[in-house]
Amino acid sequence: MKIGIDLGGSHIAIGLVDENGKIIEKVEKNIKLNDNLISEIEPFIIENIMQFKLLKPIEMIGIAIPGTVSNNKIVKAVNLGINDYNLASRLKEILNIDVKLKNDAKCAALAEKKYGELNQYQDSIFLSIGTGVGGAVIFNGKLLEARNVPGFEFSHIVIQKNGTLCNCGKRGCFETYASMKRLKEKISKEFNLNTIEGEKIKKFILQNENNPTLKYIINNYIQDLAIGISNIINIFEPEAICLGGSFAYFEDIFIEPLKKALIEGDLLFNKRCDIIIKLAKFKNDAGIIGATLI
Ligand SMILES: [Zn+2]
């Protein structure tokens, strides 16, 4: 048995995963960003793994991190406010089990490649669109990674000069236009909804389809998303693209307009008459399952 942990921007989930990638047990906790986030996360992880250890022997612990991981250390997780932290060695010291860390989108891509929607493709792109935007490339059946720093920071490719300020410190990053969090915040603010809860925002969109301001916001969102994705397509020419994160819950609203913007817009270098866009099979469990495949 392996442990997969998904450390997200708003919650942490720990799963006991069998050799077929199936989650046997799972515990979750919502987290709020604060300066003592680590002191909140670590005891939760340790306590629960101690419990899991009583059930089954644990081979390894994999942790999906929403940020940059290098040499098994967290270099930068801008949406969590964590920098230069050696979570793996801290946990190994206490639990005496090998701990491996990897970027969460890369973990999710590994899960989709091995057990999910990308299984039949050799060249594919995975994008997780949620609090931020994470990405990974599978090329010739393998996850691409650079040697020193991990790279593939699709969320921080600039799509607008002097654009919106990003959590990374740059301006105009893809993430500041394409993240679901930013879209939900924009809609909530514009219509005084006092919530950024996905279900409520989705309901509001469906009930106000013909509102011109809402149409404008959503159309802009789709255009920005298409620009970012087209840049990635033009570089890697994938057979398929898999989209995960909270975006997946809005599939019926966004997928067709996105496809249309990619195919009919003047964005792709090599024109396509169809684009295979898959929705992540594992939704919120992708990080947990993928973390056991590191
Ligand atoms: Zn950025």
Side-chain angles (χ1 to χ4, degrees), residues 178-225:
S179 95
M180 285 303 297
K181 189 177 176 217
R182 299 258 186 168
L183 174 72
K184 288 188 276 188
E185 280 171 355
K186 196 177 267 180
I187 293 174
S188 178
K189 195 175 164 208
E190 181 66 38
F191 297 97
N192 295 315
L193 300 181
N194 290 322
T195 178
I196 56 160
E197 207 185 294
E199 249 173 65
K200 287 182 183 157
I201 299 281
K202 185 175 174 178
K203 205 172 156 198
F204 179 81
I205 294 174
L206 291 172
Q207 284 171 346
N208 295 277
E209 275 177 325
N210 295 320
N211 180 297
T213 311
L214 186 63
K215 263 186 171 169
Y216 177 80
I217 292 174
I218 289 180
N219 189 39
N220 261 348
Y221 174 74
I222 296 293
Q223 292 303 319
D224 289 337
L225 194 58

Side-chain angles (χ1 to χ4, degrees), residues 10-47:
S10 57
H11 98 298
I12 175 171
I14 306 176
L16 184 64
V17 181
D18 75 8
E19 62 280 11
N20 301 313
K22 207 166 165 243
I23 298 175
I24 308 294
E25 294 270 347
K26 182 163 88 169
V27 288
E28 291 175 272
K29 178 185 160 102
N30 285 330
I31 50 175
K32 272 217 167 82
L33 293 187
N34 63 66
D35 294 343
N36 294 319
L37 194 59
I38 284 290
S39 58
E40 205 181 302
I41 291 167
E42 272 186 8
F44 180 73
I45 293 176
I46 291 161
E47 211 173 280

Side-chain angles (χ1 to χ4, degrees), residues 89-160:
S89 74
R90 288 267 306 162
L91 293 176
K92 193 182 173 187
E93 216 171 86
I94 297 163
L95 294 163
N96 201 25
I97 305 170
D98 267 343
V99 183
K100 288 182 182 170
L101 267 56
K102 197 181 274 296
N103 169 270
D104 56 356
K106 286 180 177 151
C107 289
L110 289 173
E112 294 296 336
K113 173 65 186 152
K114 180 138 192 192
Y115 303 114
E117 294 293 332
L118 295 176
N119 186 261
Q120 55 173 312
Y121 303 104
Q122 286 303 299
D123 299 340
S124 59
I125 300 291
F126 179 87
L127 279 181
S128 164
I129 305 173
T131 308
V133 175
V137 180
I138 307 272
F139 209 68
N140 275 334
K142 291 214 163 61
L143 181 73
L144 286 188
E145 281 183 289
R147 193 176 299 270
N148 294 323
V149 282
F152 301 93
E153 296 289 356
F154 297 136
S155 43
H156 305 288
I157 51 177
V158 174
I159 64 164
Q160 179 95 53

